Amino acid sequence: RCATADATSVAGSVSTSDTQCRLDRDELRGVCQEPDLEGAVNLLDEMLRRRGGNGSSGQLAPEEQAAVLQCYVDALSLASLRRGHRLLSKSTSRYSGIAAPIVHRIATLYCKLGAPADARRVLEGASRPAPGKPADAAQAKRKEAYEKVRELHEEIRAAGYVPDTRFVLHDIDEAAKERALMYHSERLAIAFGLVSTPPGTPLRVMKNLRICGDCHSAVKLIAKVTGREIIVRDNKRFHHFKDGGCSCGDYW
């Protein structure tokens, strides 16, 4: 009873009337009654292609996804819900994906039917970034930021920076200590800001630990060589870096 009520609320929340479904509910019910899952997917794809040929979008609208889910949970069966979920996943993966309200309702239904592991997989899958341009762009930006860190390191070395390896407490050689300092979190954040914002834009970085003495010296020079104002808020105070100096007067 709970599962039926929940699925009904999905259909009601996404669509206020049956006439709003762009595919007839009888057609959708026929798809759901197809004994073979692949046959159901093929039939649904054929219906979507037919609709696309008429100038409409070749994808399941959220209210249609709700209608498919309703047809499966009427059986009050975990196996039926899983089959409906698989049908939605196969039918929408090449289009826009399952609508967020439907994803959350599927997870709720899994929980109410005693399958919390399935619910967790549904939510984890929805939160995972889709493959394609967004992920590629993020990876490219990350690579650009690391390259910028190395470039800044060379520039500030030329401007007189000497790494203070006393701030590296690990028992490693001097070269490794210098590399560890170069990739401190505030420097990575600053590098990311430099490659992500127009020239002259002030950068603001917040950190939950105190900035180390070596990074304090390095950021002063980074502000100088880049011509940027850099504001770092650590767990003690604000540091306003500009033109090679800091508002704290090197006392913090």
Side-chain angles (χ1 to χ4, degrees), residues 35-238:
D36 174 55
L37 179 61
E38 290 304 317
V41 171
N42 293 336
L43 180 56
L44 190 54
D45 278 351
E46 176 59 34
M47 293 162 61
L48 293 173
R49 280 195 295 270
R50 186 180 69 224
R51 183 174 68 186
N54 294 329
S56 299
S57 174
Q59 61 184 8
L60 278 178
E63 63 268 16
E64 293 164 341
Q65 295 177 17
V68 169
L69 181 60
Q70 175 66 48
C71 293
Y72 278 101
V73 301
D74 279 344
L76 298 178
S77 160
L78 180 59
S80 181
L81 175 59
R82 283 172 174 160
R83 188 175 188 272
H85 180 206
R86 288 198 301 273
L87 175 62
L88 286 177
S89 299
K90 286 176 175 288
S91 302
T92 59
S93 59
R94 75 198 68 179
Y95 303 119
S96 61
I98 303 177
I102 309 301
V103 168
H104 294 149
R105 189 54 58 193
I106 290 173
T108 300
L109 289 167
Y110 273 133
C111 288
K112 291 193 174 184
L113 290 174
D118 291 78
R120 184 171 56 254
R121 281 192 292 270
V122 170
L123 296 175
E124 288 175 351
S127 63
R128 190 176 301 121
K133 292 184 178 179
D136 294 343
Q139 181 64 23
K141 185 65 72 174
R142 178 179 181 273
K143 182 178 179 181
E144 189 178 358
Y146 273 86
E147 290 175 353
K148 188 65 175 178
V149 165
R150 292 188 284 271
E151 177 187 321
L152 287 171
H153 184 73
E154 295 303 319
E155 290 182 11
I156 62 177
R157 285 295 290 261
Y161 165 71
V162 177
D164 189 346
T165 57
R166 293 177 302 168
F167 291 96
V168 179
L169 304 181
H170 301 288
D171 186 14
I172 51 181
D173 61 45
E174 287 297 307
K177 288 182 178 182
E178 290 185 16
R179 286 195 299 272
L181 289 170
M182 182 171 61
Y183 293 114
H184 273 191
S185 60
E186 51 268 56
R187 298 198 210 183
L188 287 170
I190 290 167
F192 184 83
L194 289 171
V195 301
S196 303
T197 58
T201 305
L203 301 180
R204 295 173 176 83
V205 176
M206 295 187 68
K207 152 181 193 90
N208 62 347
L209 299 174
R210 185 184 180 194
I211 184 172
C212 80
D214 182 75
C215 283
H216 192 271
S217 300
V219 177
K220 286 195 296 182
L221 288 172
I222 290 172
K224 182 178 181 179
V225 300
T226 61
R228 298 283 193 112
E229 180 181 357
I230 303 173
I231 303 165
V232 178
R233 173 68 168 96
D234 67 6
N235 68 345
K236 293 292 184 180
R237 60 178 48 82
F238 284 94

